[in-house]
Amino acid sequence: MFIDYDNKDAIFLRIVIETVTSIRSVTYENIQVANYGVGGFYFCHHDYFSANYGSAVFWYNMHPNNTVNVDTMHCACPPVFGDKWVANVWIIRNNNEFSTPSLGDMLSTSELSTVIDEFKNDSARIELNQFITQQERRMDKMLSMSRLLDETSKGTKNAKFDIHHPINALRFIRNNSVVFNRIKEEISQEMKLYTEVHTKLEELMTNVKTFHEEELTHVIHGLLVIQQIYNITSYDMVNGNVGKYKTIPLTAAECEDIMVKVVHNAKYFSTVESWIEACLKKIEHKDSTTTATQLLTRSAVAFYGLGSFQEAVTIYSKVSYLNQKSRYHKLRLKYYMRKFIKHRNEQTLDNSISTGKLRRENNVKEDFRLSFKTACQGNVPRLVGATQKTLVCDRVDNGHPLLLIQPIKREIISREPFIVVYHDFISTNRMMSLRQVAFPQLERSTVLKKDSRAHVSRRTSKSMFIEHDNKDGLFLSNAIEAVTSLRSAAYEKVQVANYGIGGLYDCHYDYYPAHYYDNDIFDNRMATFMLYMSDVGDGGGTAFPDIPEVVFPKMGSAVFWYNMHPNNTVNEDTLHCACPPLFGDKWVANVWIKRNNNEFAAQCSLDQYTTSWW
Ligand SMILES: O=C(O)CCC(=O)C(=O)O
Ligand SMILES: [Fe+2]
């Protein structure tokens, strides 16, 4: 039968299961209690576990990639002596997508900075410490009270105690008047104080803003993306060396959480060993609260859950070595070994079935293109020779009234394709106000896929579009019109985007492919204007791998380039990529400028060989 969802023991069991499996209890089916009487069985195979009162078995029926694991066939053998009671909890996949990282949202550090002060002023922790100190004093006091009670009862409990003896009568009356009243008074006083502090502490704890556990998965995912793109060693990550800035090293427990996610995600499989090694080093640290046994067990269990039995055995043999007296660890190692051997034998029989390890290695695909990583790592050869000589920094006013008093600072980055950076474009106040309007409306960015838009790991920013009548948006459009001479009637809505931890946009073109426009090829995105609305401490550049050049964000600077040639053909050298920030988060405002309505502002050319705008 199935136990009611709100049965208190069922709730307790779900909590225990959640704690040991880290799988969210909302996805558990109702608990089924089953009883096997004489001869009762559930047909199938052999079972490595023999039933033991209070023990529980847990396994994954599916691989992390959502395919079923056919090796999980199992059966219940009939009891030979006594009857067997079990409680079954089946856990469904939905809502557990994030217990292994997938396309996590990249957490914005701007978002975090709004709550960090609350955490720094950690009144809950301070109150808890005070509570503990008071509690210790209170316990001492209670202890002396209880000793007093012991002492007073000693006399009356004596076999020779006779209440008719006047000394005994005095003793009895004294105990049950002054002494007991004093004790009662003191204890009730203590309990009153205890309740007051307890309520206050509980209130403080409840008011602390906590994050959903999925956020941790997202931030770990972001860190691993950063590690992959910027080629940072696990050792450096563990020691807090990411890019230009250093921070306090990770603790063994923090390290362990990352390590488990690495094991669970095929994308980062190549770094598994280095993470385990780096985390083990942390354990040697004297402050470590985690033991090598805990850490290795967690990684072995994770590998086992993935069907990578060889790794599970290798790692677990270290656990067994560290705990040579433990029968439990020996048995568990034996179990992993049996699993591994069974698989290896199957592999010999049928070459198409490989071990967990090989299967996983085949699945690992290169996630980001080399050009992206190379460009983001800044390993781009600088422009040399003739091209460089034509680069300029100047101030231009285009004869536009907005710019006459204060011409705009312009830096030409490249002539072909034409890319410029404008400096000090609009005021910080306007940018902050655009960010403020955008902030609550930000949603995970999408890309065009066939006829619809999709979330992809290639683009992990959050973004939104500013309404046409927003005053700062209008001001921005006017300013873009003034400096580019391209008519604002042809601008798409201003898109505000935020790149959080690990947030990126892999190399792409802003123009739509020809087939998308069919007969309307003339209205493609001829140019892009992108304003940086935050400083980024490190990383977060916009790379143009084919030029090659990287522009780094500076609040108030803007990049502008033509995606198309004057003869309306697309410029394939405008490939560009948004690298993930290494420190802080990145805010940009994108304005894509269409061709229609700009025929006379940026003249087209009848000459099909004309490719240059200047
Ligand atoms: O944020 C960047 O650096 C580039 C953004 C971009 O290319 C885009 O959103 O199309
Ligand atoms: Fe772009």
Side-chain angles (χ1 to χ4, degrees), residues 459 495 499 505 508 510 530 541-542 576 578 586 588 590 592:
R459 187 182 193 187
Q495 183 196 57
Y499 297 81
Y505 194 174
H508 65 279
D510 281 355
M530 190 181 72
T542 308
H576 59 282
K586 172 177 162 188
V588 299
N590 278 311
W592 290 290

Side-chain angles (χ1 to χ4, degrees), residues 69 79 118 140 183 218 258 373 390 394 398 421 562 607:
N69 186 342
E118 208 179 294
D140 282 347
I183 293 173
H218 293 157
I258 302 180
K373 290 193 192 178
T390 65
D394 56 8
N398 292 338
V421 172
Y562 283 99
D607 174 3

Side-chain angles (χ1 to χ4, degrees), residues 82-140:
D83 66 350
K84 173 176 165 191
W85 284 85
V86 298
N88 277 315
V89 181
W90 291 287
I91 303 170
I92 56 179
R93 178 68 173 141
N94 275 358
N95 288 314
N96 273 313
E97 299 84 351
F98 291 108
S99 52
T100 60
S102 51
L103 299 175
D105 279 333
M106 300 303 170
L107 219 63
S108 147
T109 52
S110 299
E111 204 172 323
L112 298 180
S113 63
T114 59
V115 287
I116 184 69
D117 286 344
E118 208 179 294
F119 279 82
K120 281 189 174 164
N121 156 31
D122 53 352
S123 39
R125 188 186 58 80
I126 296 168
E127 186 73 19
L128 177 66
N129 281 346
Q130 281 172 357
F131 178 71
I132 292 167
T133 320
Q134 281 173 348
Q135 214 35 22
E136 280 168 351
R137 249 185 283 132
R138 183 167 300 132
M139 284 303 138
D140 282 347

